[in-house]
Amino acid sequence: MGIWRGVIGDWSMSIWGICFAVTLIISIVELCDLPSCFPFYWYTFPVTYACYAALICLSASIIYSIAYVQFLPYGPYRDRAIAATAFSCSASVFYALDVAFTWNWYDLDDTICYVHTVPGLLKVLETLVAGVIFAFLSSPSLYLHPVEHHTALVWCVAVYCICFILGAVVLLLKLREREYRLCILYPIFQLVLTLFSTLLYISTVVLWPLYQFNEEFGGQSRRASVVSCSDELAYDMCLWDRLLAVAILTAINLLMYMVDLVYWARQGSIGTEDVSSAPDAVLSHLLFSQSEDAL
């Protein structure tokens, strides 16, 4: 649009570009009838992606309007940004409909999709919230200043990255159906990872507000004390608001990790039903693959 977008605007543009590209690739694969060329159960990928896209497009719509559109001057640039927000909301609705109808469209009701389960949905939400946190942390000045206290803040950023990577690993294991090839039981593996991530997030919930909002540790306790927040000609979301958003999102993610931890602890205590159902799941997958090849 010919004007500076800022980090939030760039993040939103990246999200929309990635969603467009991946959707185009999925459409080409479907039209060319290429699902059998992939080394995993193909139809779980579009559903997982559509779930992510619906949530992240909705998040981009909200963040883009709050952190960017409201700072634009009235005129054609603002109108275009509002139109982009409206189309982003529409895209999230269509992706949600995709999640709701894709599985029934392929008549795969007997096949369990990971994102349709409680731990799968929790894992999607955990990684999604981490991705939104990364958007607010796109400026290194948020965690590298002041220098004498930046070690704790860098630790917090490292926690976000580590937990995001662990969640992505779990999703990839489920996508490629490799979870039952681990050297330990999959529910135990999930329980250990979730416990580890929960402990990391507990440290972040304490350290981030302490070093960002406590003046004794170099933080800013009042919004008005930050120059960018008192500037009437601000063109981007002020730093203090972004720090507060990260603190809130960290607490939300900790709650989801705790729910996830309770779920896997309960699975471990009742004998892990997933282990007993693993042979049936593998058998059903093999039978479906054979029938698909025969067709």
Side-chain angles (χ1 to χ4, degrees):
M1 295 186 295
I3 56 177
W4 187 75
R5 290 188 302 268
V7 292
I8 300 297
D10 290 338
W11 177 79
S12 302
M13 292 289 291
S14 301
I15 292 300
W16 297 327
I18 292 172
C19 288
F20 170 79
V22 177
T23 303
L24 180 62
I25 292 173
I26 291 176
S27 301
I28 293 174
V29 171
E30 296 285 354
L31 290 174
C32 297
D33 195 19
L34 300 175
S36 59
C37 298
F38 290 84
F40 54 84
Y41 196 35
W42 162 256
Y43 296 107
T44 60
F45 175 73
V47 177
T48 303
Y49 161 73
C51 183
Y52 264 111
L55 294 172
I56 203 165
C57 280
L58 179 61
S59 301
S61 304
I62 297 172
I63 296 173
Y64 187 69
S65 59
I66 294 176
Y68 177 70
V69 177
Q70 66 168 329
F71 298 105
L72 291 176
Y74 289 96
Y77 294 138
R78 186 185 181 95
D79 295 338
R80 293 177 187 176
I82 293 174
T85 304
F87 278 110
S88 180
C89 293
S90 301
S92 64
V93 172
F94 284 117
Y95 279 123
L97 292 175
D98 194 6
V99 175
F101 295 118
T102 297
W103 214 246
N104 293 331
W105 175 265
Y106 290 109
D107 194 22
L108 299 175
D109 295 333
D110 295 334
T111 305
I112 299 176
C113 181
Y114 186 56
V115 297
H116 286 176
T117 63
V118 173
L121 182 59
L122 286 172
K123 199 60 63 181
V124 168
L125 292 175
E126 290 162 4
T127 52
L128 173 69
V129 173
V132 177
I133 290 175
F134 293 147
F136 287 110
L137 289 177
S138 52
S139 297
S141 59
L142 270 68
Y143 51 88
L144 294 180
H145 180 78
V147 178
E148 61 270 17
H149 300 303
H150 80 277
T151 304
L153 299 179
V154 172
W155 163 256
C156 295
V157 177
V159 168
Y160 300 137
C161 296
I162 292 171
C163 294
F164 177 82
I165 293 173
L166 292 178
V169 168
V170 171
L171 287 171
L172 289 175
L173 285 174
K174 293 296 294 186
L175 184 64
R176 300 198 61 182
E177 298 180 349
R178 305 285 184 178
E179 66 272 20
Y180 296 111
R181 299 186 182 183
L182 297 172
C183 58
I184 61 175
L185 296 178
Y186 181 70
I188 303 301
F189 172 77
Q190 274 276 34
L191 180 61
V192 172
L193 284 187
T194 306
L195 177 60
F196 179 65
S197 300
T198 302
L199 294 175
L200 290 180
Y201 260 88
I202 289 175
S203 68
T204 305
V205 166
V206 175
L207 293 176
W208 184 265
L210 184 64
Y211 282 89
Q212 293 288 14
F213 304 117
N214 193 324
E215 295 182 356
E216 296 181 1
F217 293 91
Q220 299 290 340
S221 59
R222 295 180 302 171
R223 185 178 186 273
S225 60
V226 181
V227 177
S228 62
C229 297
S230 58
D231 187 3
E232 296 181 355
L233 300 177
Y235 49 80
D236 198 1
M237 189 177 184
C238 79
L239 295 180
W240 198 89
D241 291 340
R242 290 164 65 180
L243 296 176
L244 180 62
V246 172
I248 295 174
L249 291 172
T250 302
I252 292 174
N253 228 10
L254 175 60
L255 290 176
M256 287 191 290
Y257 274 110
M258 293 178 68
V259 173
D260 202 2
L261 180 63
V262 171
Y263 174 86
W264 286 110
R266 182 176 179 274
Q267 287 293 103
S269 64
I270 62 177
T272 63
E273 298 178 358
D274 292 342
V275 176
S276 61
S277 62
D280 294 336
V282 174
L283 179 60
S284 63
H285 170 57
L286 292 175
L287 291 176
F288 181 81
S289 299
Q290 292 176 357
S291 62
E292 192 178 47
D293 294 339
L295 291 175

